[in-house]
Each structure stands twice: as C-alpha cells, then as structure tokens.
Amino acid sequence: MALTLNRDAIVWSRTSTEPKPLVILMHGLGSHENDLASLADFFPKSYASASVRAPLDFMGGYAWFPQGSFATEQGAEAFNLATDAVLDWIDADIDPLTPIVLLGFSQGGAMVSHLLRTRPERFIGGIMLSGFISPAPLPTDAEVATAQLPIFIGRGDQDEVISMDRFEQASDWLHERSLLTEVVYNGMGHSVCHPEVLNIAKFLEFAISGENDAFAAFTQK
C-alpha cells in the first residue's frame, strides 16, 4: 500500500516560489516534524528548510518504517515505500530546479541514504545524524558512485541505540560511493550536539558552493 506525506504537517522555515536551495529534514522513530525544525536557525541564510512528518503512526509519534525493518525482504520494501512517499511529494510540490540537501536523524538518517541511493541525480548532498543504511541492494546503486555526492555522517561514540556494526556498514558502503566526511563526537549518545550542528551549517555552505574537499579539511581541524 502506497504511503503519502501529510503536507499540512510540514514545518517550513521560509516559503518561496523561487528555486532556492532547500534542506529537507526527517526525524527519528517515534518523533515528529517539530523535532528537527529548530536546526534551521543555524543554516546559511541562502537555504530554506522543510521538516516533514513520517507517514506511519508510532507510539504517539511517527515512523518512516516499522521498528526493526533492516535486513529482511519486508524491511527492504518498507524502506522503498517511505522513500516513494518523499519523492512523490518532492515531484509534486518542489520546483525541479531547486537544489536539495537531505538531513535526517536515526530512522531519518536511513531515509537520507535510501533517497540518495534511489534518485541520486535529484540531490546535491546528504546529512546523516546517527543514521544507518539498508543492506538490500538497489538497481540505482551504481549511479550513486557515479554521482559522487557529498555526504556528512555524524554520530556519538556513546550511542546505545544504533549498533556499531550498522554504523560501520553505512560508513564502509558510502566511503566507496560518495564524497564522505564522517565525524564521531566524544561522549555523545543517540542525540545531536552543538559542535555537530556547527558542522552541519558548514557542510551546507560547502555543498552549495561545491567545495566538498574544503569541508573535509574543515572538520579535521
């Protein structure tokens, strides 16, 4: 059964008829569209943002796919259904000339990787916060390597929600197929910290300018 996004639930930082750069924010399991919306306060002024609500109800909040969807055939289909819902909204409501950066936390981070893998030509970069990747191959995976998209992964070294092997799987897969910068934050659990937010803002500056090697050098200072 097809999924759809609730357009009335989208939190916009700024609306415009012009095709200005856009950050699409996707929250984690059991959360909602307001959870990440405040990150837009730190974004470069050249960007608008849209924080979207996941399509499935989950314990008073929302989910992109059922909890535990990861390595099964049914899980792979759940990833695809959620991805199609986001792409359908983008195709219908976002000017095709609008540069888009995807940003997601946890399940939302998994959505970032799956959207980039499904239609890499539509996006200019991705930001995965404490996220992971579906192990199921996609027919467009070769196109991801060709696109060489800039991707930022941030996670804490004290994360007790996402296992280390899932972090490593995402890191290894993306290192081979993208311009990946990965930062591990000491003492951070399954959350977002201020230094990470500053790195997100800097990544967005470099993403729109195309200076992705400069961003990698910045994070290594």
Side-chain angles (χ1 to χ4, degrees):
M1 183 180 70
L3 300 177
T4 59
L5 297 189
N6 183 342
R7 288 167 167 80
D8 293 333
I10 297 172
V11 179
W12 291 88
S13 66
R14 183 178 72 241
T15 57
S16 173
T17 56
E18 300 177 25
K20 293 184 177 181
L22 175 69
V23 182
I24 296 175
L25 300 103
M26 292 169 285
H27 61 77
L29 178 68
S31 192
H32 50 79
E33 66 278 7
N34 291 300
D35 188 29
L36 299 178
S38 62
L39 290 178
D41 295 338
F42 297 90
F43 296 167
K45 298 302 182 184
S46 56
Y47 282 87
S49 70
S51 189
V52 297
R53 177 189 293 176
L56 302 177
D57 293 329
F58 181 82
M59 298 184 66
Y62 302 91
W64 293 100
F65 37 83
Q67 189 176 23
S69 299
F70 185 58
T72 66
E73 183 176 343
Q74 294 83 357
E77 179 59 21
F79 273 75
N80 293 337
L81 288 172
T83 297
D84 288 345
V86 176
L87 291 174
D88 288 347
W89 164 67
I90 290 173
D91 291 343
D93 291 7
I94 308 302
D95 188 299
L97 297 179
T98 299
I100 297 175
V101 176
L102 300 168
L103 184 156
F105 175 78
S106 197
Q107 262 204 5
M111 286 295 297
V112 170
S113 62
H114 215 68
L115 283 158
L116 294 178
R117 292 171 62 189
T118 302
R119 198 185 294 178
E121 73 279 2
R122 183 61 187 91
F123 308 105
I124 65 170
I127 300 169
M128 297 173 60
L129 309 179
S130 304
F132 51 97
I133 191 169
S134 168
L138 294 176
T140 48
D141 279 343
E143 298 174 23
V144 177
T146 300
Q148 286 292 291
L149 292 169
I151 297 174
F152 171 65
I153 291 180
R155 64 174 179 86
D157 65 352
Q158 302 298 314
D159 195 316
E160 297 182 351
V161 175
I162 307 299
S163 64
M164 183 57 64
D165 64 316
R166 292 169 77 183
F167 281 138
E168 291 176 347
Q169 181 184 47
S171 177
D172 292 346
W173 198 96
L174 291 168
H175 262 302
E176 296 177 0
R177 297 169 176 84
S178 70
L179 301 175
L180 181 66
T181 300
E182 184 175 8
V183 180
V184 180
Y185 297 91
N186 295 330
M188 188 176 80
H190 195 64
S191 61
V192 178
C193 64
H194 186 65
E196 187 175 34
V197 172
L198 297 181
N199 276 337
I200 291 168
K202 187 59 65 173
F203 175 87
L204 291 173
E205 291 180 12
F206 288 124
I208 200 64
S209 69
E211 298 176 356
N212 303 304
D213 290 341
F215 174 72
F218 170 82
T219 57
Q220 292 166 9
K221 291 181 180 178

